[in-house]
Amino acid sequence: MSAASRVKRLLRDRAEVVVFEKNGWVSFALCGTPYYIGCRVRRLEELTYYPVEEFTRKRGIRINLYTEVVEIEPGERRLRYRAADGSTGVYEYDYLVLATGAKPRVPREWLVFENVFTLHSLEEADRIRSYIVSNNVRRVAVIGAGYTGLEVAENIRELGREVVVVHSREHVLNKVLDPDMASIVEEKAREKGVELVLGKRAEAIEGDEGRARRVVLRGGDVVEADAFIAAPGIEPNVSLASRAGLRIGETGAIWTDERMRTSDEHIYAVGDAVETRDVITGGRVWWPFAPAGNKQGYVAGTNIAGGDAVFPGVVRSSALGAFGLYIASTGLREEDAARYGFRPVAAYLRARTRSHYFGGGPEIHLKVVADEETGRLIGAQAVSEDSSAFWRANMVAALIWGKATVWDLFSLDQSYWPGANPVWDPLTVAARLLLRRFRGRKWVTLS
Amino acid sequence: MSAASRVKRLLRDRAEVVVFEKNGWVSFALCGTPYYIGCRVRRLEELTYYPVEEFTRKRGIRINLYTEVVEIEPGERRLRYRAADGSTGVYEYDYLVLATGAKPRVPREWLVFENVFTLHSLEEADRIRSYIVSNNVRRVAVIGAGYTGLEVAENIRELGREVVVVHSREHVLNKVLDPDMASIVEEKAREKGVELVLGKRAEAIEGDEGRARRVVLRGGDVVEADAFIAAPGIEPNVSLASRAGLRIGETGAIWTDERMRTSDEHIYAVGDAVETRDVITGGRVWWPFAPAGNKQGYVAGTNIAGGDAVFPGVVRSSALGAFGLYIASTGLREEDAARYGFRPVAAYLRARTRSHYFGGGPEIHLKVVADEETGRLIGAQAVSEDSSAFWRANMVAALIWGKATVWDLFSLDQSYWPGANPVWDPLTVAARLLLRRFRGRKWVTLS
């Protein structure tokens, strides 16, 4: 919708813009679905940014809901679609934008049970909430402790149900947090009554009479529950693109150039289906988060309309809130950095978020990772009950974006007000800790 | 204390470090004094970061309180001091660090009255609070609507007294906010019951029997009150440095190189008494805020101890809280930018701080300023009841630090969580608004 809106904004009546959507919603907040399950969001409509009429009437975009594109014929510049009533059609395009998103990576055989769910659409969120409420579900097993898994677990707990999270890795959120930081989240999750079963892969779901009863873990342990949410991870939805012969990148997502054009000059691709550039490593990365997707849509739309815009890539920023904590991460984890050719050094600290004479504020756990050879910042993770964890990680993201060094983190002219931070901000203290690893270094700064 | 501690940390017993302090406190938070007046901070001791013993016993620093350095003899590498008991002495140094700070710029004749105060030390904060409470002061006039003036006004209001703020300029906080942003603060101040008299210079204070009764404004109007706090501005305290023949910079503050060394190779200077480099303009700026001062102390201490550290300068970041608002600014004001050779373009927006399905959060007023010629970001101002105003301005500071463009602000991989920001963060929206002024531009980004 971001690409569609951008084209219409720039070309107005000179362009016909048509959207094909397999499901019943456009411009919706997938990130909000856990909160719908937990009833913090009451109605599904609240998870849309605009009513459909905003796009159709006001922006002049034609929208076909419940209409699935089943094939693309790049040579003919046309696509074939099938509507909900079974009718089919063909549409000829000058430019096509693929925004096919991602999908849960779940064994098909798990989904035969009526009480096993995935969560990757508003419809699924609705089914989960209905099921839990209507069937008086007492205990829910969540498979996977990534973003979706943890947010769903928290929300089901909020509904007063028992929750057990089963995760194949030793620590939660293992794609964005190092083990030391993940432990802090785990402690808080357990405090809130969430049971965590870590380091055990879910091998099978067993049940009878169409209802799942238990998850069987590698090694043979079982976890019983009344409902199951499978969130072991997602993968890019590239089937249409693959069949159309478009180049799939090394990450398994659709390849595009920085103008968001695929290997076919008339086809652009954006969002969770595409890979992008990792600004830190210079390599390719699949980073399926909403802000990047929206901006890629804006960039694709601009270019289709005759402009010239690039999407430079990501620094792997992401965040979530769970169990009363703000959890934010940017850049590479200390554990991953060596794999990309860096020599990681890290500073970890626990500090108060505000000045002591303003009560100090909640504690923040902050970790900053740098490269020992160049002094460049390459990552940060922050966890706190205070929202400044979110922002402090974002501050490091902004510095990494500019290829800043540890000395930049130290010197950066951050503002200070006792009600918002201590005069030696935790970020500055982290820089000081890191500087011990760089004694005698001649620093070059951005400034 | 930052310089002293750094030298001791690096050299330990190899260096004798002696501190001379005219007043009775070291390592104190001047920024906290308004909150002491408002009783949010109960005891003066709470405004120190460490008890004196931390420095003397633990860090091995000798501290002479109530001991004023009255003269420096650079040729002899010695200084003369006078202790509280009137005794005098001489101290010979290898290196001297001047941290003489700033002082209120107030006509001497105003201070003859017992009920006219300045606020630039813990002792003065104590006198103001005592006077207001002991004399049952009903109405206080604050002269000056800069940082100190507004924070004092808020705190006196919190004590339940009437407050009128008299300011010579048309808008409050005119050094850091453009008029459009200042107006938002003014509206809120008035809502909270603070009377503002703007655009009228205080010409005189009149009274009788040793007590001031009224401020006389240019044009002849008078403002009556029972107590008066004069906060029309501060200036660097350079008298010692001047008399010692050290170079005073174009801003009127002590000149130093980026290693914090003055024109005398054995004398360093740090904090509110010195000028520094403006990273945006490349020129010199006097930017007397605590974070810079502390870092300069660290840099001076490192260099004195034989290390090699630089303080690159500032991007004019600052912040305060007042009237329930977080107010933050970085870089140049739109109004000032032309004076430095920029062609400023600005985006202003009012937006919700969080996602709509998380209640939206309080509104933020955000302004971002860029240079039309280069596309470089050169400033930002943010005002909100939400602390994210503080952090969003800091995000722009981090980008300005790296010489980022508007396209960087748009593309930056900021993280998103609906409880912390909308998926199109106000910063990204501000970038989009600015981009309209740069149609057809080929962008170069940092990434």
Side-chain angles (χ1 to χ4, degrees):
Chain A
M1 296 316 297
S2 172
S5 300
R6 183 70 182 148
V7 170
K8 262 303 191 189
R9 179 166 193 101
L10 293 175
L11 296 185
R12 299 175 193 270
D13 292 345
R14 284 172 287 148
E16 176 184 82
V17 177
V18 182
V19 172
F20 297 90
E21 167 57 47
K22 185 170 66 170
N23 291 314
W25 304 86
V26 294
S27 189
F28 54 87
L30 208 49
C31 333
T33 51
Y35 305 95
Y36 176 80
I37 294 171
C39 291
R40 186 192 295 213
V41 173
R42 304 277 170 82
R43 297 176 312 113
L44 227 38
E45 288 71 23
E46 292 172 38
L47 292 182
T48 57
Y49 289 104
Y50 296 104
V52 155
E53 294 71 34
E54 165 72 22
F55 296 104
T56 51
R57 296 235 180 99
K58 234 176 119 188
R59 301 191 187 177
I61 298 169
R62 277 174 47 203
I63 297 185
N64 302 288
L65 295 179
Y66 302 110
T67 304
E68 183 174 3
V69 173
V70 291
E71 202 182 346
I72 301 164
E73 298 170 48
E76 274 57 55
R77 285 195 222 158
R78 68 184 176 204
L79 54 82
R80 297 180 179 282
Y81 60 85
R82 185 173 48 227
D85 62 4
S87 66
T88 60
V90 171
Y91 185 79
E92 294 188 355
Y93 58 79
D94 293 316
Y95 291 103
L96 176 65
V97 178
L98 288 176
T100 48
K103 61 183 179 193
R105 207 177 47 221
V106 174
R108 203 174 283 264
E109 61 271 21
W110 293 6
L111 300 174
V112 300
F113 299 107
E114 66 172 46
N115 57 341
V116 176
F117 303 93
T118 57
L119 177 58
H120 209 78
S121 68
L122 301 203
E123 288 84 353
E124 288 170 307
D126 208 24
R127 283 201 288 274
I128 293 171
R129 182 159 113 181
S130 297
Y131 188 87
I132 290 175
V133 175
S134 323
N135 294 275
N136 200 18
V137 164
R138 200 183 51 83
R139 177 174 164 87
V140 178
V142 176
I143 300 164
Y147 276 37
T148 307
L150 289 193
E151 290 184 337
V152 166
E154 178 190 39
N155 275 283
I156 289 173
R157 193 79 196 113
E158 294 275 309
L159 287 177
R161 318 294 158 133
E162 288 176 25
V163 181
V164 52
V165 178
V166 174
H167 191 54
S168 59
R169 309 292 291 266
E170 294 295 331
H171 290 283
V172 303
L173 294 171
N174 52 278
K175 290 210 175 123
V176 292
L177 295 184
D178 280 310
D180 51 350
M181 298 298 286
S183 300
I184 298 154
V185 178
E186 292 155 13
E187 192 184 323
K188 200 72 178 210
R190 287 177 169 132
E191 257 178 45
K192 298 273 182 182
V194 173
E195 196 183 327
L196 297 178
V197 178
L198 301 177
K200 304 207 168 170
R201 179 176 297 279
E203 302 254 276
I205 295 185
E206 295 179 350
D208 47 57
E209 295 169 13
R211 294 187 67 173
R213 305 290 180 184
R214 66 195 75 84
V215 187
V216 182
L217 307 181
R218 179 169 295 174
D221 286 354
V222 299
V223 170
E224 302 198 324
D226 309 318
F228 300 80
I229 295 168
I234 57 172
E235 61 189 21
N237 210 340
V238 300
S239 57
L240 258 188
S242 282
R243 282 187 281 124
L246 300 181
R247 177 177 168 190
I248 304 301
E250 60 195 76
T251 69
I254 302 173
W255 179 94
T256 75
D257 64 15
E258 63 180 9
R259 300 175 82 248
M260 303 316 299
R261 197 158 64 171
T262 67
S263 54
D264 180 301
E265 65 176 325
H266 295 278
I267 305 180
Y268 288 73
V270 301
D272 292 0
V274 309
E275 63 175 34
T276 186
R277 181 165 158 264
D278 182 325
V279 169
I280 303 171
T281 66
R284 306 291 285 179
V285 64
W286 183 53
W287 200 248
F289 289 91
N294 278 305
K295 289 169 192 171
Q296 290 166 347
Y298 180 96
V299 165
T302 302
N303 291 327
I304 288 170
D308 188 14
V310 299
F311 181 77
V314 298
V315 293
R316 303 182 186 227
S317 300
S318 66
L320 81 161
F323 321 118
L325 295 173
Y326 291 83
I327 304 159
S329 171
T330 189
L332 303 174
R333 300 190 313 149
E334 184 185 10
E335 285 212 331
D336 298 331
R339 192 191 315 156
Y340 294 101
F342 294 105
R343 291 213 313 260
V345 289
Y348 163 81
L349 64 94
R350 210 172 68 174
R352 306 307 292 264
T353 43
R354 293 194 271 284
S355 292
H356 66 278
Y357 57 93
F358 261 76
E363 280 189 333
I364 184 173
H365 299 265
L366 177 65
K367 179 172 185 168
V368 180
V369 186
D371 175 44
E372 198 170 16
E373 194 176 339
T374 59
R376 265 181 63 192
L377 297 170
I378 56 175
Q381 297 156 43
V383 175
S384 175
E385 290 172 18
D386 191 74
S387 61
S388 63
F390 177 87
W391 292 107
R392 286 193 174 99
N394 267 330
M395 293 284 293
V396 179
L399 288 173
I400 291 177
W401 187 264
K403 306 206 168 30
T405 65
V406 174
W407 192 255
D408 287 306
L409 181 63
F410 174 78
S411 314
L412 173 64
D413 186 21
Q414 251 192 289
S415 63
Y416 155 64
W417 177 63
N421 63 347
V423 65
W424 285 104
D425 191 276
L427 286 172
T428 319
V429 177
R432 275 172 60 170
L433 294 175
L434 277 169
L435 286 173
R436 294 183 188 169
R437 307 292 293 268
F438 293 93
R439 281 278 161 76
R441 173 71 62 102
K442 264 277 188 196
W443 287 101
V444 177
T445 69
L446 295 177
S447 59
Chain B
M1 296 316 296
S2 172
S5 300
R6 184 71 183 148
V7 170
K8 262 301 190 190
R9 175 162 197 105
L10 293 175
L11 296 185
R12 299 175 192 270
D13 292 345
R14 283 172 286 149
E16 177 185 80
V17 176
V18 182
V19 172
F20 298 91
E21 167 55 47
K22 184 170 68 169
N23 290 313
W25 304 86
V26 294
S27 189
F28 54 88
L30 206 50
C31 332
T33 51
Y35 305 95
Y36 176 79
I37 293 172
C39 291
R40 187 192 296 210
V41 173
R42 304 278 169 80
R43 297 176 314 113
L44 226 39
E45 289 72 21
E46 292 173 38
L47 292 182
T48 57
Y49 289 102
Y50 296 106
V52 154
E53 294 71 32
E54 164 72 20
F55 295 106
T56 52
R57 298 236 177 99
K58 234 176 116 188
R59 302 191 187 178
I61 298 169
R62 277 173 47 202
I63 297 185
N64 301 288
L65 295 178
Y66 303 110
T67 305
E68 183 174 4
V69 173
V70 291
E71 203 182 345
I72 301 164
E73 298 170 50
E76 282 27 86
R77 286 196 222 157
R78 69 185 175 203
L79 55 84
R80 297 181 178 280
Y81 61 86
R82 184 172 51 227
D85 62 5
S87 67
T88 60
V90 171
Y91 184 79
E92 293 189 353
Y93 58 80
D94 293 316
Y95 291 102
L96 176 65
V97 178
L98 289 176
T100 47
K103 61 185 179 193
R105 206 177 49 221
V106 174
R108 204 174 282 266
E109 61 272 21
W110 290 8
L111 301 175
V112 300
F113 299 107
E114 65 171 47
N115 57 342
V116 176
F117 303 92
T118 57
L119 177 58
H120 210 78
S121 67
L122 301 204
E123 287 85 351
E124 287 170 307
D126 208 23
R127 282 202 288 275
I128 293 170
R129 182 158 113 181
S130 298
Y131 188 88
I132 290 174
V133 175
S134 323
N135 294 274
N136 202 18
V137 165
R138 198 184 52 83
R139 179 174 163 86
V140 178
V142 175
I143 299 163
Y147 276 38
T148 307
L150 289 193
E151 289 183 338
V152 166
E154 179 190 37
N155 275 283
I156 289 173
R157 194 76 198 117
E158 294 275 309
L159 287 177
R161 319 293 159 134
E162 288 177 23
V163 181
V164 53
V165 178
V166 174
H167 191 54
S168 59
R169 310 292 291 266
E170 293 295 333
H171 290 283
V172 304
L173 295 171
N174 52 280
K175 290 211 174 123
V176 293
L177 295 185
D178 280 311
D180 51 349
M181 298 298 286
S183 301
I184 298 155
V185 177
E186 291 155 13
E187 192 184 323
K188 199 75 178 205
R190 287 179 168 131
E191 257 178 44
K192 298 272 181 183
V194 173
E195 197 182 326
L196 297 177
V197 178
L198 302 176
K200 302 208 168 171
R201 179 176 296 279
E203 301 254 275
I205 295 186
E206 295 179 349
D208 47 58
E209 295 167 14
R211 294 188 68 173
R213 305 290 180 186
R214 68 195 74 83
V215 187
V216 182
L217 307 180
R218 178 170 296 173
D221 286 354
V222 300
V223 170
E224 302 199 321
D226 308 317
F228 300 81
I229 296 169
I234 58 174
E235 61 189 20
N237 210 339
V238 301
S239 57
L240 258 187
S242 282
R243 281 188 279 123
L246 300 181
R247 177 177 167 190
I248 304 301
E250 63 196 77
T251 69
I254 302 172
W255 178 93
T256 74
D257 64 16
E258 62 178 10
R259 301 174 81 248
M260 303 317 299
R261 197 157 65 171
T262 67
S263 54
D264 180 303
E265 64 176 326
H266 295 277
I267 305 180
Y268 288 73
V270 300
D272 292 358
V274 309
E275 62 175 33
T276 187
R277 181 164 156 266
D278 182 325
V279 169
I280 304 171
T281 66
R284 306 290 285 179
V285 63
W286 182 53
W287 199 249
F289 289 92
N294 278 305
K295 290 169 192 171
Q296 290 165 348
Y298 180 96
V299 165
T302 302
N303 290 327
I304 287 170
D308 188 12
V310 299
F311 182 78
V314 297
V315 293
R316 303 183 186 228
S317 300
S318 66
L320 81 161
F323 320 119
L325 295 174
Y326 291 82
I327 304 159
S329 171
T330 190
L332 303 174
R333 299 191 314 150
E334 185 185 9
E335 284 212 331
D336 298 330
R339 192 191 314 155
Y340 294 101
F342 294 104
R343 291 212 314 259
V345 289
Y348 162 81
L349 64 94
R350 211 173 69 174
R352 307 306 293 263
T353 43
R354 293 194 272 285
S355 292
H356 66 277
Y357 57 93
F358 261 77
E363 280 189 331
I364 184 172
H365 300 264
L366 177 65
K367 179 172 185 169
V368 180
V369 187
D371 175 44
E372 198 169 17
E373 194 175 340
T374 60
R376 266 182 59 194
L377 298 170
I378 55 174
Q381 297 156 44
V383 175
S384 176
E385 289 171 19
D386 191 73
S387 61
S388 63
F390 176 86
W391 292 108
R392 288 195 173 99
N394 267 331
M395 293 284 292
V396 179
L399 287 173
I400 291 177
W401 186 264
K403 305 203 171 27
T405 64
V406 174
W407 191 254
D408 287 305
L409 181 65
F410 174 78
S411 315
L412 173 65
D413 185 21
Q414 251 193 289
S415 63
Y416 154 65
W417 178 62
N421 61 348
V423 66
W424 285 105
D425 192 276
L427 287 171
T428 320
V429 178
R432 277 171 58 169
L433 293 176
L434 278 169
L435 286 174
R436 293 184 188 167
R437 308 291 293 268
F438 293 94
R439 283 276 162 79
R441 173 72 63 103
K442 265 278 187 193
W443 289 100
V444 176
T445 69
L446 296 178
S447 59

